[in-house]
Amino acid sequence: MTVILKEAIKPNLVQTMEGQPALVHAGPFGNIAHAANSIVADRMALKLADYVVTEAGFASDLGFQKFCDIVCRTARLTPSAAVLVTTVRATKSHGGVPFAQLGAENLEALRAGADNLAAHIAIVRQYGLPCVVTINSFPTDLPQETALVKELALNAGAETVVVHEGFGKGGAGTVDLARAVVAACEKPNTFSYLTPDGTPIVKQIEAIATKIYGAAGIDLQMQAQKDVARLEALGFGTAPVCMAKTQMSLSHDPALRNRPTGFILPVRSLLPSAGAGFVVALCGDMQRMPGFGKTPAFQKMDIDEHGTTLGLT
């Protein structure tokens, strides 16, 4: 742990291929942790630039929700807008098209899969922020498909919809997106947390499950009930909740695609992340950490008396 933390407090200043600065600091996964870079990096960036773009991984139901309710609450940051990235292929996939057939035109599948896109737009709007939808362009996308996704996103409440071709054209392919984001940031917003400060952890879980995931309710299982009592005794009864669930679905079940409704979210246990200041709720079969081998690499790492790190190779 000392090896890991020795330089960890210092954000890494890197640059894109075109010279734009970027701060890389921490990278927790959105399905098991809070999905955002460090508050240190955010505050540093806000002092250095007119506009700061920060990533909250694994879509609006995980990373975005956690950024708003955990990161922004802790740091007292107020975002100006949200960018929701989608693709024609992903929308068709949620409409029931097998992976091997995603390159073929299928407007009906786009209409069906747009329910998932609409759910994510609704999540963003629920936090009071303008939602800019951007379509990540693929060579197989057909003009009529892209036009339909634009139409469906606007009908679902997107502030604006733009296509970006950053992968193929670099910065030149993202100019329209940048302009759309700047315009959205200049508009007034009514940003607020999903639940107010001091909300009990069970009420937070219920709000996230029903208002964000679309569940009908939660199943607080036996171990989770015991954990709630323990957390309350430890002073974590109103700490922010960090949900641990699959990133493959709005629900806890990776097999439930598109926009599932009416399901009950099972919460099997709750664990404190005391240093971070939040409580992790384990939903369904989700695991927080993959298993280690019999002799993990960290056992060979050390720092000598001169401050030199050993055992990284």
Side-chain angles (χ1 to χ4, degrees):
M1 187 62 68
T2 303
V3 171
I4 294 172
L5 296 178
K6 180 172 178 285
E7 304 291 342
I9 196 62
K10 305 172 185 177
N12 296 313
L13 177 61
V14 297
Q15 63 180 338
T16 68
M17 294 178 66
E18 297 177 354
Q20 293 91 351
L23 292 169
V24 179
H25 202 204
F29 290 138
N31 55 355
I32 57 173
H34 61 281
N37 58 263
S38 71
I39 292 171
V40 171
D42 282 334
R43 286 177 171 161
M44 185 179 294
L46 286 166
K47 291 183 177 181
L48 299 174
D50 295 323
Y51 295 91
V52 175
V53 179
T54 185
E55 180 189 11
F58 285 148
S60 64
D61 58 314
L62 288 171
F64 174 76
Q65 180 268 315
K66 294 172 182 182
F67 176 76
C68 293
D69 286 321
I70 299 176
V71 178
C72 291
R73 190 192 304 268
T74 301
R76 295 299 172 184
L77 297 173
T78 302
S80 299
V83 179
L84 185 64
V85 181
T86 189
T87 65
V88 169
R89 292 168 61 87
T91 308
K92 283 193 284 191
S93 177
H94 281 289
V97 176
F99 183 82
Q101 300 175 22
L102 291 177
E105 179 182 355
N106 194 327
L107 300 181
E108 287 306 310
L110 283 175
R111 292 188 178 92
D115 284 345
N116 180 268
L117 177 59
H120 287 290
I121 294 171
I123 290 170
V124 173
R125 296 305 298 266
Q126 187 164 228
Y127 284 87
L129 294 176
C131 180
V132 176
V133 172
T134 182
I135 303 171
N136 189 4
S137 179
F138 278 70
T140 55
D141 295 348
L142 300 173
Q144 58 268 31
E145 292 181 319
T146 301
L148 180 57
V149 173
K150 282 186 175 182
E151 177 187 337
L152 294 167
L154 289 170
N155 290 342
E159 186 77 21
T160 187
V161 185
V162 294
V163 178
H164 81 81
E165 300 176 280
F167 182 80
K169 297 182 180 179
T174 63
V175 171
D176 289 343
L177 173 59
R179 289 173 175 161
V181 173
V182 169
C185 289
E186 298 304 317
K187 295 185 177 182
N189 71 71
T190 57
F191 175 74
S192 63
Y193 311 128
L194 185 66
T195 54
D197 292 347
T199 300
I201 52 179
V202 175
K203 292 295 184 182
Q204 291 183 59
I205 294 171
E206 289 175 341
I208 295 168
T210 57
K211 296 180 181 181
I212 302 298
Y213 303 160
I218 67 171
D219 174 19
L220 202 66
Q221 298 175 356
M222 184 65 70
Q223 183 60 51
Q225 294 177 35
K226 295 178 181 178
D227 292 338
V228 169
R230 173 172 171 264
L231 289 166
E232 290 174 346
L234 291 172
F236 283 87
T238 60
V241 172
C242 181
M243 304 289 274
K245 77 168 187 71
T246 180
Q247 74 275 18
M248 303 299 293
S249 171
L250 284 165
S251 74
H252 63 285
D253 184 351
L256 296 179
R257 308 304 300 278
N258 209 346
R259 191 176 190 174
T261 58
F263 62 92
I264 301 297
L265 182 76
V267 181
R268 73 174 195 271
S269 65
L270 294 105
L271 301 166
S273 287
F278 55 69
V279 169
V280 178
L282 296 176
C283 303
D285 297 328
M286 198 66 196
Q287 300 293 327
R288 295 181 71 196
M289 181 67 71
F292 286 117
K294 291 184 178 180
T295 55
F298 76 82
Q299 294 182 357
K300 301 177 182 178
M301 297 178 188
D302 202 354
I303 297 177
D304 65 19
E305 64 274 16
H306 304 294
T308 302
T309 301
L310 309 172
L312 294 181
T313 56

mmCIF file of all heavy atoms in Angstrom, residues 54-89:
data_model
loop_
_atom_site.group_PDB
_atom_site.id
_atom_site.type_symbol
_atom_site.label_atom_id
_atom_site.label_comp_id
_atom_site.label_asym_id
_atom_site.label_seq_id
_atom_site.Cartn_x
_atom_site.Cartn_y
_atom_site.Cartn_z
ATOM 1 N N THR A 54 -15.034 16.014 -17.228
ATOM 2 C CA THR A 54 -14.639 14.892 -16.378
ATOM 3 C C THR A 54 -15.489 13.683 -16.726
ATOM 4 O O THR A 54 -16.681 13.818 -17.024
ATOM 5 C CB THR A 54 -14.771 15.249 -14.885
ATOM 6 O OG1 THR A 54 -14.270 14.176 -14.081
ATOM 7 C CG2 THR A 54 -16.208 15.529 -14.500
ATOM 8 N N GLU A 55 -14.889 12.514 -16.725
ATOM 9 C CA GLU A 55 -15.609 11.299 -17.100
ATOM 10 C C GLU A 55 -16.160 10.590 -15.876
ATOM 11 O O GLU A 55 -15.475 10.435 -14.869
ATOM 12 C CB GLU A 55 -14.680 10.334 -17.842
ATOM 13 C CG GLU A 55 -15.385 9.041 -18.253
ATOM 14 C CD GLU A 55 -14.433 8.001 -18.797
ATOM 15 O OE1 GLU A 55 -13.212 8.180 -18.678
ATOM 16 O OE2 GLU A 55 -14.919 6.988 -19.328
ATOM 17 N N ALA A 56 -17.405 10.169 -15.947
ATOM 18 C CA ALA A 56 -18.017 9.327 -14.923
ATOM 19 C C ALA A 56 -18.431 8.029 -15.612
ATOM 20 O O ALA A 56 -19.415 7.994 -16.342
ATOM 21 C CB ALA A 56 -19.221 10.023 -14.294
ATOM 22 N N GLY A 57 -17.678 6.976 -15.393
ATOM 23 C CA GLY A 57 -17.779 5.793 -16.232
ATOM 24 C C GLY A 57 -19.022 4.947 -16.033
ATOM 25 O O GLY A 57 -19.688 5.009 -15.009
ATOM 26 N N PHE A 58 -19.311 4.124 -17.047
ATOM 27 C CA PHE A 58 -20.422 3.162 -17.036
ATOM 28 C C PHE A 58 -21.788 3.835 -16.975
ATOM 29 O O PHE A 58 -22.656 3.433 -16.207
ATOM 30 C CB PHE A 58 -20.272 2.151 -15.904
ATOM 31 C CG PHE A 58 -19.218 1.106 -16.144
ATOM 32 C CD1 PHE A 58 -18.515 0.571 -15.085
ATOM 33 C CD2 PHE A 58 -18.924 0.659 -17.419
ATOM 34 C CE1 PHE A 58 -17.528 -0.391 -15.292
ATOM 35 C CE2 PHE A 58 -17.952 -0.299 -17.645
ATOM 36 C CZ PHE A 58 -17.254 -0.827 -16.576
ATOM 37 N N ALA A 59 -21.987 4.857 -17.799
ATOM 38 C CA ALA A 59 -23.320 5.404 -18.093
ATOM 39 C C ALA A 59 -23.960 6.146 -16.928
ATOM 40 O O ALA A 59 -23.402 6.300 -15.846
ATOM 41 C CB ALA A 59 -24.250 4.315 -18.619
ATOM 42 N N SER A 60 -25.193 6.614 -17.178
ATOM 43 C CA SER A 60 -25.837 7.508 -16.221
ATOM 44 C C SER A 60 -26.327 6.785 -14.978
ATOM 45 O O SER A 60 -26.418 7.379 -13.901
ATOM 46 C CB SER A 60 -27.013 8.227 -16.891
ATOM 47 O OG SER A 60 -28.016 7.307 -17.280
ATOM 48 N N ASP A 61 -26.653 5.489 -15.094
ATOM 49 C CA ASP A 61 -27.175 4.777 -13.934
ATOM 50 C C ASP A 61 -26.094 4.455 -12.916
ATOM 51 O O ASP A 61 -26.395 4.231 -11.743
ATOM 52 C CB ASP A 61 -27.894 3.490 -14.367
ATOM 53 C CG ASP A 61 -26.990 2.556 -15.164
ATOM 54 O OD1 ASP A 61 -26.296 3.049 -16.074
ATOM 55 O OD2 ASP A 61 -26.997 1.333 -14.912
ATOM 56 N N LEU A 62 -24.842 4.456 -13.330
ATOM 57 C CA LEU A 62 -23.741 4.161 -12.421
ATOM 58 C C LEU A 62 -22.853 5.388 -12.241
ATOM 59 O O LEU A 62 -22.978 6.123 -11.280
ATOM 60 C CB LEU A 62 -22.946 2.958 -12.930
ATOM 61 C CG LEU A 62 -23.678 1.612 -12.787
ATOM 62 C CD1 LEU A 62 -22.937 0.501 -13.516
ATOM 63 C CD2 LEU A 62 -23.853 1.249 -11.317
ATOM 64 N N GLY A 63 -21.943 5.640 -13.172
ATOM 65 C CA GLY A 63 -20.971 6.711 -12.994
ATOM 66 C C GLY A 63 -21.579 8.085 -12.805
ATOM 67 O O GLY A 63 -21.176 8.843 -11.916
ATOM 68 N N PHE A 64 -22.551 8.433 -13.630
ATOM 69 C CA PHE A 64 -23.145 9.770 -13.535
ATOM 70 C C PHE A 64 -23.886 9.951 -12.216
ATOM 71 O O PHE A 64 -23.732 10.966 -11.534
ATOM 72 C CB PHE A 64 -24.087 10.008 -14.711
ATOM 73 C CG PHE A 64 -24.856 11.296 -14.622
ATOM 74 C CD1 PHE A 64 -24.236 12.501 -14.895
ATOM 75 C CD2 PHE A 64 -26.196 11.303 -14.264
ATOM 76 C CE1 PHE A 64 -24.938 13.707 -14.801
ATOM 77 C CE2 PHE A 64 -26.908 12.483 -14.174
ATOM 78 C CZ PHE A 64 -26.280 13.694 -14.445
ATOM 79 N N GLN A 65 -24.673 8.947 -11.839
ATOM 80 C CA GLN A 65 -25.401 9.037 -10.577
ATOM 81 C C GLN A 65 -24.443 9.191 -9.406
ATOM 82 O O GLN A 65 -24.667 10.003 -8.501
ATOM 83 C CB GLN A 65 -26.281 7.787 -10.394
ATOM 84 C CG GLN A 65 -27.094 7.791 -9.098
ATOM 85 C CD GLN A 65 -26.401 7.115 -7.927
ATOM 86 O OE1 GLN A 65 -25.831 6.032 -8.073
ATOM 87 N NE2 GLN A 65 -26.442 7.748 -6.755
ATOM 88 N N LYS A 66 -23.361 8.420 -9.430
ATOM 89 C CA LYS A 66 -22.396 8.481 -8.333
ATOM 90 C C LYS A 66 -21.608 9.790 -8.342
ATOM 91 O O LYS A 66 -21.278 10.335 -7.287
ATOM 92 C CB LYS A 66 -21.466 7.273 -8.410
ATOM 93 C CG LYS A 66 -22.194 5.962 -8.171
ATOM 94 C CD LYS A 66 -21.306 4.766 -8.434
ATOM 95 C CE LYS A 66 -22.081 3.462 -8.228
ATOM 96 N NZ LYS A 66 -21.252 2.264 -8.423
ATOM 97 N N PHE A 67 -21.315 10.292 -9.530
ATOM 98 C CA PHE A 67 -20.630 11.587 -9.602
ATOM 99 C C PHE A 67 -21.497 12.671 -8.973
ATOM 100 O O PHE A 67 -21.009 13.495 -8.181
ATOM 101 C CB PHE A 67 -20.324 11.940 -11.060
ATOM 102 C CG PHE A 67 -19.696 13.293 -11.234
ATOM 103 C CD1 PHE A 67 -18.365 13.504 -10.917
ATOM 104 C CD2 PHE A 67 -20.443 14.373 -11.691
ATOM 105 C CE1 PHE A 67 -17.778 14.758 -11.059
ATOM 106 C CE2 PHE A 67 -19.870 15.626 -11.832
ATOM 107 C CZ PHE A 67 -18.536 15.815 -11.520
ATOM 108 N N CYS A 68 -22.777 12.667 -9.294
ATOM 109 C CA CYS A 68 -23.670 13.699 -8.763
ATOM 110 C C CYS A 68 -23.884 13.551 -7.267
ATOM 111 O O CYS A 68 -23.790 14.524 -6.503
ATOM 112 C CB CYS A 68 -25.011 13.644 -9.488
ATOM 113 S SG CYS A 68 -24.950 14.109 -11.232
ATOM 114 N N ASP A 69 -24.175 12.317 -6.822
ATOM 115 C CA ASP A 69 -24.607 12.118 -5.444
ATOM 116 C C ASP A 69 -23.477 11.864 -4.456
ATOM 117 O O ASP A 69 -23.662 12.043 -3.252
ATOM 118 C CB ASP A 69 -25.597 10.947 -5.371
ATOM 119 C CG ASP A 69 -26.956 11.318 -5.929
ATOM 120 O OD1 ASP A 69 -27.403 12.447 -5.698
ATOM 121 O OD2 ASP A 69 -27.578 10.480 -6.611
ATOM 122 N N ILE A 70 -22.320 11.440 -4.952
ATOM 123 C CA ILE A 70 -21.185 11.197 -4.049
ATOM 124 C C ILE A 70 -20.102 12.249 -4.238
ATOM 125 O O ILE A 70 -19.744 12.965 -3.307
ATOM 126 C CB ILE A 70 -20.611 9.782 -4.250
ATOM 127 C CG1 ILE A 70 -21.668 8.726 -3.940
ATOM 128 C CG2 ILE A 70 -19.386 9.574 -3.357
ATOM 129 C CD1 ILE A 70 -21.209 7.297 -4.198
ATOM 130 N N VAL A 71 -19.578 12.358 -5.466
ATOM 131 C CA VAL A 71 -18.457 13.268 -5.702
ATOM 132 C C VAL A 71 -18.878 14.722 -5.533
ATOM 133 O O VAL A 71 -18.233 15.482 -4.798
ATOM 134 C CB VAL A 71 -17.856 13.029 -7.107
ATOM 135 C CG1 VAL A 71 -16.717 14.014 -7.369
ATOM 136 C CG2 VAL A 71 -17.370 11.598 -7.252
ATOM 137 N N CYS A 72 -19.940 15.123 -6.204
ATOM 138 C CA CYS A 72 -20.359 16.524 -6.116
ATOM 139 C C CYS A 72 -20.825 16.883 -4.709
ATOM 140 O O CYS A 72 -20.593 18.000 -4.232
ATOM 141 C CB CYS A 72 -21.474 16.803 -7.126
ATOM 142 S SG CYS A 72 -20.934 16.770 -8.846
ATOM 143 N N ARG A 73 -21.465 15.931 -4.036
ATOM 144 C CA ARG A 73 -21.904 16.183 -2.661
ATOM 145 C C ARG A 73 -20.702 16.380 -1.733
ATOM 146 O O ARG A 73 -20.674 17.277 -0.890
ATOM 147 C CB ARG A 73 -22.767 15.019 -2.172
ATOM 148 C CG ARG A 73 -23.470 15.293 -0.840
ATOM 149 C CD ARG A 73 -24.067 14.015 -0.270
ATOM 150 N NE ARG A 73 -24.975 13.362 -1.170
ATOM 151 C CZ ARG A 73 -26.294 13.564 -1.194
ATOM 152 N NH1 ARG A 73 -26.843 14.437 -0.366
ATOM 153 N NH2 ARG A 73 -27.056 12.902 -2.053
ATOM 154 N N THR A 74 -19.685 15.519 -1.899
ATOM 155 C CA THR A 74 -18.503 15.601 -1.046
ATOM 156 C C THR A 74 -17.691 16.860 -1.317
ATOM 157 O O THR A 74 -17.241 17.545 -0.396
ATOM 158 C CB THR A 74 -17.619 14.357 -1.260
ATOM 159 O OG1 THR A 74 -18.367 13.180 -0.962
ATOM 160 C CG2 THR A 74 -16.380 14.407 -0.385
ATOM 161 N N ALA A 75 -17.497 17.172 -2.603
ATOM 162 C CA ALA A 75 -16.663 18.313 -2.987
ATOM 163 C C ALA A 75 -17.439 19.613 -3.088
ATOM 164 O O ALA A 75 -16.838 20.676 -3.237
ATOM 165 C CB ALA A 75 -15.999 18.025 -4.330
ATOM 166 N N ARG A 76 -18.763 19.542 -3.036
ATOM 167 C CA ARG A 76 -19.627 20.694 -3.238
ATOM 168 C C ARG A 76 -19.358 21.339 -4.594
ATOM 169 O O ARG A 76 -19.248 22.567 -4.722
ATOM 170 C CB ARG A 76 -19.477 21.709 -2.094
ATOM 171 C CG ARG A 76 -19.950 21.164 -0.754
ATOM 172 C CD ARG A 76 -21.414 20.780 -0.764
ATOM 173 N NE ARG A 76 -21.825 20.080 0.450
ATOM 174 C CZ ARG A 76 -23.038 19.562 0.656
ATOM 175 N NH1 ARG A 76 -23.951 19.644 -0.300
ATOM 176 N NH2 ARG A 76 -23.330 18.939 1.781
ATOM 177 N N LEU A 77 -19.262 20.469 -5.590
ATOM 178 C CA LEU A 77 -19.137 20.916 -6.972
ATOM 179 C C LEU A 77 -20.516 20.933 -7.630
ATOM 180 O O LEU A 77 -21.365 20.099 -7.320
ATOM 181 C CB LEU A 77 -18.216 19.984 -7.760
ATOM 182 C CG LEU A 77 -16.761 19.883 -7.318
ATOM 183 C CD1 LEU A 77 -16.050 18.781 -8.099
ATOM 184 C CD2 LEU A 77 -16.053 21.213 -7.511
ATOM 185 N N THR A 78 -20.723 21.863 -8.557
ATOM 186 C CA THR A 78 -21.981 21.933 -9.290
ATOM 187 C C THR A 78 -21.699 21.848 -10.781
ATOM 188 O O THR A 78 -21.162 22.801 -11.368
ATOM 189 C CB THR A 78 -22.730 23.239 -8.987
ATOM 190 O OG1 THR A 78 -22.977 23.329 -7.587
ATOM 191 C CG2 THR A 78 -24.047 23.290 -9.733
ATOM 192 N N PRO A 79 -22.014 20.734 -11.428
ATOM 193 C CA PRO A 79 -21.784 20.620 -12.876
ATOM 194 C C PRO A 79 -22.728 21.522 -13.654
ATOM 195 O O PRO A 79 -23.797 21.907 -13.161
ATOM 196 C CB PRO A 79 -22.058 19.137 -13.163
ATOM 197 C CG PRO A 79 -22.981 18.699 -12.068
ATOM 198 C CD PRO A 79 -22.607 19.511 -10.855
ATOM 199 N N SER A 80 -22.334 21.842 -14.875
ATOM 200 C CA SER A 80 -23.134 22.730 -15.715
ATOM 201 C C SER A 80 -23.958 21.979 -16.753
ATOM 202 O O SER A 80 -25.014 22.464 -17.179
ATOM 203 C CB SER A 80 -22.220 23.729 -16.443
ATOM 204 O OG SER A 80 -21.526 24.534 -15.520
ATOM 205 N N ALA A 81 -23.491 20.813 -17.176
ATOM 206 C CA ALA A 81 -24.191 20.036 -18.197
ATOM 207 C C ALA A 81 -23.629 18.622 -18.185
ATOM 208 O O ALA A 81 -22.585 18.350 -17.576
ATOM 209 C CB ALA A 81 -24.021 20.663 -19.580
ATOM 210 N N ALA A 82 -24.310 17.723 -18.855
ATOM 211 C CA ALA A 82 -23.847 16.339 -18.978
ATOM 212 C C ALA A 82 -23.842 15.938 -20.441
ATOM 213 O O ALA A 82 -24.730 16.322 -21.212
ATOM 214 C CB ALA A 82 -24.745 15.400 -18.184
ATOM 215 N N VAL A 83 -22.836 15.161 -20.829
ATOM 216 C CA VAL A 83 -22.728 14.621 -22.181
ATOM 217 C C VAL A 83 -22.982 13.125 -22.117
ATOM 218 O O VAL A 83 -22.300 12.412 -21.386
ATOM 219 C CB VAL A 83 -21.344 14.896 -22.791
ATOM 220 C CG1 VAL A 83 -21.259 14.299 -24.201
ATOM 221 C CG2 VAL A 83 -21.058 16.392 -22.833
ATOM 222 N N LEU A 84 -23.969 12.675 -22.844
ATOM 223 C CA LEU A 84 -24.336 11.261 -22.886
ATOM 224 C C LEU A 84 -23.904 10.693 -24.238
ATOM 225 O O LEU A 84 -24.377 11.145 -25.278
ATOM 226 C CB LEU A 84 -25.841 11.114 -22.699
ATOM 227 C CG LEU A 84 -26.406 9.706 -22.589
ATOM 228 C CD1 LEU A 84 -25.872 9.007 -21.342
ATOM 229 C CD2 LEU A 84 -27.933 9.755 -22.546
ATOM 230 N N VAL A 85 -22.991 9.731 -24.204
ATOM 231 C CA VAL A 85 -22.452 9.151 -25.434
ATOM 232 C C VAL A 85 -23.251 7.905 -25.806
ATOM 233 O O VAL A 85 -23.472 7.023 -24.968
ATOM 234 C CB VAL A 85 -20.965 8.784 -25.269
ATOM 235 C CG1 VAL A 85 -20.410 8.207 -26.568
ATOM 236 C CG2 VAL A 85 -20.163 10.001 -24.833
ATOM 237 N N THR A 86 -23.672 7.829 -27.049
ATOM 238 C CA THR A 86 -24.370 6.652 -27.537
ATOM 239 C C THR A 86 -23.826 6.272 -28.901
ATOM 240 O O THR A 86 -22.995 6.993 -29.481
ATOM 241 C CB THR A 86 -25.890 6.888 -27.606
ATOM 242 O OG1 THR A 86 -26.550 5.646 -27.887
ATOM 243 C CG2 THR A 86 -26.239 7.897 -28.701
ATOM 244 N N THR A 87 -24.252 5.140 -29.417
ATOM 245 C CA THR A 87 -23.899 4.715 -30.771
ATOM 246 C C THR A 87 -25.128 4.106 -31.425
ATOM 247 O O THR A 87 -26.056 3.631 -30.751
ATOM 248 C CB THR A 87 -22.769 3.663 -30.782
ATOM 249 O OG1 THR A 87 -23.239 2.463 -30.155
ATOM 250 C CG2 THR A 87 -21.519 4.166 -30.072
ATOM 251 N N VAL A 88 -25.126 4.106 -32.743
ATOM 252 C CA VAL A 88 -26.184 3.423 -33.491
ATOM 253 C C VAL A 88 -26.170 1.941 -33.146
ATOM 254 O O VAL A 88 -27.216 1.313 -32.942
ATOM 255 C CB VAL A 88 -25.996 3.651 -34.998
ATOM 256 C CG1 VAL A 88 -26.916 2.746 -35.816
ATOM 257 C CG2 VAL A 88 -26.249 5.121 -35.360
ATOM 258 N N ARG A 89 -24.986 1.378 -33.065
ATOM 259 C CA ARG A 89 -24.850 -0.055 -32.809
ATOM 260 C C ARG A 89 -25.411 -0.431 -31.430
ATOM 261 O O ARG A 89 -26.114 -1.432 -31.280
ATOM 262 C CB ARG A 89 -23.381 -0.468 -32.913
ATOM 263 C CG ARG A 89 -22.813 -0.390 -34.315
ATOM 264 C CD ARG A 89 -21.287 -0.528 -34.305
ATOM 265 N NE ARG A 89 -20.871 -1.807 -33.754
ATOM 266 C CZ ARG A 89 -20.748 -2.920 -34.464
ATOM 267 N NH1 ARG A 89 -21.005 -2.918 -35.761
ATOM 268 N NH2 ARG A 89 -20.354 -4.046 -33.883
#
